[in-house]
Amino acid sequence: MSLLKVFQMMTLLSCYYMFIDMLIVGKDISRIDRLKKTLGESFAMKNFGAAKRILGIHISRDRREKKIYLSQEQYIRKVL
């Protein structure tokens, strides 16, 4: 079952508005753009640009080295 079909089923079964945070990542920008276009045909979407945080995880990048770093420092400080 395709991801789009799953989302369509979720929308049909839900009586409430659903807010889903989705982080789309990949190497091929054209594939990412096609996926966003396909999802946008069925769902109201907003593009907030490059992610800096998701699910409480801080995201930082070193574009030159092509590396992504994830940090849960704030969560650790809160728990301790």
Side-chain angles (χ1 to χ4, degrees):
M1 182 177 295
S2 73
L3 180 62
L4 185 56
K5 289 290 182 192
V6 171
F7 282 128
Q8 287 173 339
M9 287 174 54
M10 289 170 54
T11 302
L12 291 174
L13 295 174
S14 177
C15 296
Y16 302 98
Y17 284 102
M18 209 185 253
F19 296 94
I20 299 174
D21 290 335
M22 179 183 292
L23 183 63
I24 301 173
V25 296
K27 292 181 181 180
D28 188 342
I29 298 298
S30 63
R31 289 184 70 187
I32 292 171
D33 289 340
R34 283 196 310 269
L35 174 60
K36 291 191 313 188
K37 181 181 178 194
T38 301
L39 290 172
E41 290 171 357
S42 298
F43 306 100
M45 294 177 49
K46 293 181 183 176
N47 185 352
F48 293 107
K52 296 178 183 169
R53 178 174 303 278
I54 187 162
L55 299 174
I57 300 171
H58 177 72
I59 303 168
S60 58
R61 289 187 249 166
D62 182 341
R63 291 184 188 269
R64 196 179 88 240
E65 295 292 324
K66 297 183 179 179
K67 292 186 179 184
I68 297 175
Y69 300 95
L70 305 175
S71 171
Q72 288 187 293
E73 181 180 352
Q74 288 184 345
Y75 173 75
I76 293 168
R77 289 182 188 278
K78 182 180 177 180
V79 170
L80 297 177

